[in-house]
Amino acid sequence: MRRFFIRQPLFTGAQPSLSNDQIHYLLHVLRIRQGNTVLLFNGQHGEWHAECREKSRKGISLHVTHQERPQPTRPTLLYCFAPVKHTRLDYMIQKAVEMGVGILQPVMTHYTQAMQLNPKRMYANAIKAAEQCGILSVPDCRRIISFDTLLATWDPIRHLIFCDETAESYEPFPPLRKLVKGPIGIIIGPEGGFDNKERESLQALDYVITISLGPRILRADTAAVAALAIINTILKY
């Protein structure tokens, strides 16, 4: 059943309106009929069934009938990343949401090549991934900050997992198994990796856990999937 994210309250009897793009999709792609049902979520009130009560060539009237799933607690996993070019950034955001990220924090590092970041596009990709993968909480999409600002404002209660391509050991699991349950973040660098100063700054912090993603050099978007898969396997956060 098709799922749609909306920004309106959801409750029994609600009659939410959809965006023009959502209406177009229902009318001309799904070819929805009266009596058909879709699923709606807004990141606050869980997931709800909504029935198509009226349909015209230009619009649809939806009536919310009952809740399918209650709203879970928002994921706390914080993903810090250096922006990459548009198509690969879209992929990275979507996969991060699928893998349980609750906060998306772009970071400007020394070797970051993609200097422009469109927050609306990032948020749209997060919504798209949530709609497609049964996720009820859309991540907090934050504005880009500098690497120095990230470290200066970091809450030391939250462990930061540093994915370092120069790590001596290729085995990421031993250091992660030592972590106690609690909030965590992960940081992945740009295509050129972190420079020496950034690497030294990270390694000097008590809350930073350095891991390797293996012997191969990975693209930034591939590294994101690999790192989040490892974290989901080992940690409970």
Side-chain angles (χ1 to χ4, degrees), residues 6 27 58 72-74 80 88 97 103-104 107 142 167-168 177 180 184-185 190 198 203 231:
I6 65 171
L27 288 175
K58 296 183 178 181
T73 302
R74 179 189 292 272
C80 307
R88 288 165 54 200
V97 175
I103 306 169
L104 293 163
V107 181
R142 297 181 176 177
E168 294 182 0
R177 289 194 178 103
V180 296
I184 62 172
E198 291 167 340
Q203 292 174 342
I231 289 172

Side-chain angles (χ1 to χ4, degrees), residues 156-192:
I157 295 176
R158 183 189 294 271
H159 284 290
L160 177 59
I161 298 171
F162 167 35
C163 300
D164 184 7
E165 69 274 13
T166 68
E168 294 182 0
S169 172
Y170 292 146
E171 176 56 69
F173 299 111
L176 293 179
R177 289 194 178 103
K178 297 178 183 179
L179 289 177
V180 296
K181 184 177 181 180
I184 62 172
I186 180 172
I187 183 166
I188 293 176
E191 293 296 287

Side-chain angles (χ1 to χ4, degrees), residues 3 9 12 26 30 32 40 61 64-65 71 74 76 78 82 94 125 132 140 159 167 173 179 181-182 192 231:
R3 305 174 71 245
T12 301
L26 284 172
L30 291 186
I32 193 171
L40 303 177
S61 175
V64 176
T65 57
Q71 185 67 33
R74 179 189 292 272
T76 61
L78 171 56
Q94 291 171 20
N125 274 289
Q132 293 178 347
D140 177 12
H159 284 290
F173 299 111
L179 289 177
K181 184 177 181 180
I231 289 172

